[in-house]
Amino acid sequence: MLVSLLGILLSVIVGFVVTLISTKWVIGLCKKRGFTGKDINKLTKDDVPVLGGIGIVAGFVAGAFTFLLTSYNLSPGIENVVVSILLSSLIIGFLGLLDDIFNISQATRAFLPIFASIPLILYSVGHTIISIPFLGKVNFGILFYIIILPATLTITANAFNMLEGLNGLGAGMGLIMALALAYIGLKSGGTSFYAGIVSIILASVLFGFLIFNFYPAKTFPGNIGTYFIGSVIGSIGISGYMYTALFFLYLPYVIEFVLKAKTRFKGVSFGKIDDQGYLHWDSKPNSLTHIVMRIGKFKEYHIVLIIWGIEILFAILAVVFQTVTITI
């Protein structure tokens, strides 16, 4: 595969450094402008900047453009992958920013990602086949463009908003997903390989953001961050034809969806904190975080690490089922 290893390395470094610089800048700006929220799972309930996701967007855009500029002339198709991922993700990231500032309606949050899928639809013209475990390759025809692809991006973008609220949880989940998709993509050829490289860039960006977001968090990703992470991962899976992997990677979010649906999506992922800093939940669980709280005595970062561990198990399944053809 004709790509510049130096270009990949440079893209990863640029993405990481820009994330560090821009996130630190956003933290200072949010404090001055009052864009803060309470850190609910702490005894002190400190005010924490909430628009840290801007740093994720800046770092990913910088890294992706660096990769595009250093490699587009080496092999055809690179620009199609990178541009489609960027366009779709930036549209949804903008939706997240609007939600952070104006608290837009649930209907808008649900339907705008459908329009954001248009760049990926144009990119995917001619590819309507999905390999499904135990069934083999299935050609969905026109349904792929009008239902499956828009639904995939909508689900992946919105899912990250449901399982959030603990320091580092969402960014860490995204990092695990990105590494899994990177491994799958780099073992493949063609556009899947390019999507794998974009996954590495995303992983470096999320690692940089976790420096500020892990316990105790100096910033929250905000809706711009959660929407953007979910949309980039969804776009990578779509552009790299890794639908099976996306299915397994998002299974914890399926559990979260079921739990939240029981509360008509009014449930939270926060816990109740005791005077020693341990989180607990005495009512019916309306989040995966609550299930973890009910099985043991854990502090916030313990719960995050446990859920990360769960996601790692699903990431392993994603790699196995995406890279091994299993039929009956």
Side-chain angles (χ1 to χ4, degrees):
M1 191 64 59
L2 291 175
V3 294
S4 168
L5 293 178
L6 181 60
I8 296 173
L9 180 60
L10 183 61
S11 303
V12 168
I13 293 173
V14 167
F16 178 77
V17 172
V18 170
T19 301
L20 294 180
I21 295 172
S22 56
T23 302
K24 189 172 182 179
W25 174 75
V26 168
I27 289 172
L29 193 61
C30 284
K31 288 179 179 179
K32 291 179 181 178
R33 302 295 173 85
F35 286 104
T36 60
K38 296 293 183 182
D39 199 344
I40 301 298
N41 295 310
K42 303 291 191 305
L43 288 169
T44 54
K45 303 291 189 293
D46 295 327
D47 289 321
V48 177
V50 296
L51 295 180
I54 293 174
I56 298 174
V57 176
F60 181 75
V61 170
F65 269 117
T66 301
F67 172 57
L68 185 62
L69 290 172
T70 57
S71 303
Y72 81 96
N73 61 335
L74 298 179
S75 184
I78 290 179
E79 66 279 5
N80 294 331
V81 175
V82 177
V83 171
S84 63
I85 291 173
L86 277 173
L87 286 176
S88 292
S89 300
L90 285 173
I91 292 172
I92 297 179
F94 179 66
L95 163 67
L97 182 60
L98 291 178
D99 198 13
D100 279 321
I101 298 174
F102 300 114
N103 192 25
I104 61 178
S105 68
Q106 193 171 20
T108 304
R109 293 197 300 265
F111 287 105
L112 189 58
I114 295 175
F115 297 99
S117 66
I118 292 175
L120 289 168
I121 292 174
L122 296 175
Y123 162 80
S124 300
V125 169
H127 300 277
T128 59
I129 297 175
I130 299 177
S131 181
I132 301 176
F134 306 111
L135 293 179
K137 295 181 178 179
V138 179
N139 191 337
F140 288 90
I142 191 66
L143 294 178
F144 179 83
Y145 303 118
I146 64 175
I147 296 178
I148 294 176
L149 196 153
T152 299
L153 187 61
T154 300
I155 292 169
T156 56
N158 281 279
F160 263 77
N161 239 11
M162 291 190 295
L163 185 55
E164 190 44 283
L166 277 70
N167 293 177
L169 180 57
M173 296 283 280
L175 174 59
I176 294 166
M177 291 181 178
L179 290 174
L181 293 175
Y183 178 82
I184 294 168
L186 295 179
K187 285 193 66 176
S188 308
T191 54
S192 295
F193 183 86
Y194 305 144
I197 295 173
V198 177
S199 293
I200 295 176
I201 297 171
L202 176 62
S204 71
V205 167
L206 293 177
F207 180 74
F209 181 71
L210 275 170
I211 294 175
F212 299 98
N213 182 233
F214 191 62
Y215 186 97
K218 299 178 181 65
T219 185
F220 299 145
N223 291 321
I224 182 175
T226 54
Y227 278 119
F228 188 76
I229 296 170
S231 62
V232 173
I233 290 172
S235 299
I236 289 171
I238 292 168
S239 63
Y241 310 112
M242 296 181 272
Y243 288 92
T244 301
L246 286 180
F247 171 78
F248 283 99
L249 290 172
Y250 274 87
L251 281 178
Y253 290 91
V254 174
I255 299 171
E256 187 73 9
F257 177 85
V258 172
L259 292 170
K260 286 291 198 304
K262 291 182 178 180
T263 68
R264 297 182 179 180
F265 300 99
K266 295 180 181 179
V268 298
S269 300
F270 307 124
K272 300 175 183 178
I273 188 167
D274 64 20
D275 55 6
Q276 293 181 312
Y278 291 96
L279 296 179
H280 63 278
W281 190 260
D282 303 322
S283 307
K284 289 184 179 180
N286 49 59
S287 174
L288 187 58
T289 59
H290 297 161
I291 293 177
V292 176
M293 292 174 197
R294 288 167 65 93
I295 64 175
K297 189 176 181 180
F298 304 114
K299 292 191 176 182
E300 182 178 4
Y301 57 88
H302 294 142
I303 297 168
V304 170
L305 292 174
I306 290 170
I307 297 178
W308 284 1
I310 294 171
E311 181 60 31
I312 289 173
L313 293 178
F314 284 111
I316 293 171
L317 291 176
V319 170
V320 171
F321 280 91
Q322 181 69 53
T323 56
V324 177
T325 302
I326 303 174
T327 59
I328 56 174

